[in-house]
Amino acid sequence: MDVAVGIVAQRDNERAQDLAAALVDALEAAGASAVVDEATGAAIAATPVPVDSMDDRDLVVSIGGDGTLLFVAREVSPVPIMGVNLGEVGFLNAVAPENAVDVVTDVVADIARTGRVEGRELARLRATGVDEDWTLAPALNEIVVHGRRRGHGGGATIEVRVDGQSYAESHADGVLVATPTGSTAYNLSEGGPLVHPATNAVIVTQMAATESMPPLVVEPDTEISLTVTDADTAYAISDGRNRQQLEPPATVTVSLAADPVTLVGPQANFFDGLDKLE
Ligand SMILES: NC(=O)c1ccc[n+]([C@@H]2O[C@H](COP(=O)([O-])OP(=O)(O)OC[C@H]3O[C@@H](n4cnc5c(N)ncnc54)[C@H](O)[C@@H]3O)[C@@H](O)[C@H]2O)c1
Ligand SMILES: Nc1ncnc2c1ncn2[C@@H]1O[C@H](COP(=O)(O)OP(=O)(O)OP(=O)(O)O)[C@@H](O)[C@H]1O
């Protein structure tokens, strides 16, 4: 099987671009085809394509930090992705840059031999407006609903319902609904629990609530509804980047997205990674 690979290198990162060039050379020498994102294609001798047109590739490699991988996941899922870590934290990217050429060419050789891409599925969350016609891009980390802004005077009253049953209602900066993958991100900053990535669960954490309830962990196929009042405006945000302005009173439902992310390559050891969170 001729394997088609897409490569997205963190924008304006020469080290990521150099690694992308080495990957293109190694993959083409191995008989695979490789294209790169347009920003990288302007910097190295490789075929540039829009990231969102890589959705017909067999594998997309992200070279950068967590944010670049989150970006790639938004643009190309359900195509399997692999993360090479050049970032400040790199909690989502398991492959060290010095191993990237060997690991990627080994995975591509396996795909060529078997015709299958072996990876693990990471759940995502979808946020949808109730009585409003919008849906955010699926979140690998979390969905946040917050008032006009973080901090004094920017909050809102948000009622949390779990499969229709009321769990909490308080004035707060916001409420976040996280995946196990995202339990180490914004959720952790807001006092939510760490959830091992092998756990099937969804986490609901209030953000600076005046009458707070403990964070709640529920089964993945649960519908969380967040009703926002007592604010002139509010936002629903997916993975910190994709946002929808709300006109309170407004209700947002958060539930499991139909398509998970398939992450390929060696799995980072969760416990070894925790020192990155200090
Ligand atoms: N106050 C906060 O803690 C805060 C604010 C905004 C965004 N975030 C997080 O950043 C994510 C978006 O990442 P970005 O790089 O596009 O934004 P960004 O540039 O604001 O980076 C946020 C930081 O979160 C880290 N991060 C992202 N996903 C992570 C994960 N699953 N586990 C541990 N750390 C993780 C990134 O490496 C980066 O250091 C959001 O999904 C949210 O989880 C956190
Ligand atoms: N090649 C690219 N093409 C288009 N946008 C990109 C590209 N690389 C990164 N981005 C944008 O940059 C954002 C991530 O930027 P950021 O600087 O946070 O990188 P990172 O991967 O999180 O690295 P670090 O951990 O060092 O912050 C993505 O959300 C995406 O919008």
Side-chain angles (χ1 to χ4, degrees):
M1 166 184 177
D2 291 340
V3 182
V5 181
I7 299 168
V8 180
Q10 183 184 13
R11 193 163 41 193
D12 306 327
N13 181 327
E14 280 188 28
R15 195 170 159 222
Q17 291 161 1
D18 292 346
L19 187 46
L23 269 179
V24 168
D25 293 345
L27 288 168
E28 290 180 346
S33 75
V35 296
V36 300
D37 66 86
E38 290 172 313
T40 303
I44 70 171
T47 309
V49 301
V51 176
D52 62 6
S53 73
M54 294 182 183
D55 55 4
D56 62 352
R57 315 297 289 180
D58 300 302
L59 174 70
V60 177
V61 180
S62 170
I63 306 173
D66 297 319
T68 300
L69 185 122
L70 292 168
F71 162 70
V72 169
R74 279 194 297 275
E75 295 291 320
V76 310
S77 284
V79 174
I81 58 181
M82 181 189 287
V84 176
N85 181 39
L86 291 184
E88 292 162 15
V89 175
F91 208 84
L92 299 172
N93 299 307
V95 181
E98 60 271 20
N99 302 330
V101 171
D102 290 346
V103 171
V104 174
T105 49
D106 287 352
V107 164
V108 168
D110 288 345
I111 299 171
R113 187 175 63 254
T114 65
R116 286 194 321 277
V117 187
E118 301 293 334
R120 58 198 168 283
E121 292 194 339
L122 302 182
R124 297 200 287 181
L125 296 170
R126 184 178 298 280
T128 302
V130 172
D131 303 329
E132 295 177 342
D133 183 21
W134 58 265
T135 296
L136 284 178
L140 183 55
N141 275 342
E142 82 286 305
I143 299 290
V144 173
V145 171
H146 70 56
R148 172 178 289 281
R149 66 179 179 282
R150 292 299 314 268
H152 184 64
T157 295
I158 303 177
E159 180 189 17
V160 180
R161 285 185 171 273
V162 178
D163 281 344
Q165 298 189 73
S166 185
Y167 173 67
E169 182 170 12
S170 171
H171 201 77
D173 279 7
V175 174
L176 66 82
V177 184
T179 63
T181 303
S183 74
T184 47
Y186 210 166
N187 168 69
L188 189 61
S189 306
E190 293 299 326
L194 280 177
V195 175
H196 191 279
T199 310
N200 289 325
V202 168
I203 309 138
V204 185
T205 300
Q206 291 173 299
M207 301 157 69
T210 50
E211 296 167 49
S212 65
M213 285 290 285
L216 177 66
V217 180
V218 294
E219 287 187 324
D221 56 352
T222 302
E223 181 178 272
I224 308 292
S225 68
L226 306 174
T227 299
V228 186
T229 55
D230 189 22
D232 58 359
T233 191
Y235 295 89
I237 305 166
S238 171
D239 280 353
R241 302 272 172 165
N242 187 249
R243 63 172 48 210
Q244 170 68 42
Q245 187 165 4
L246 310 175
E247 294 181 18
T251 297
V252 179
T253 59
V254 180
S255 52
L256 212 54
D259 48 344
V261 165
T262 300
L263 200 58
V264 181
Q267 181 160 4
N269 178 294
F270 175 71
F271 296 98
D272 291 349
L274 294 180
D275 60 355
K276 294 180 183 177
L277 301 174
E278 288 161 6

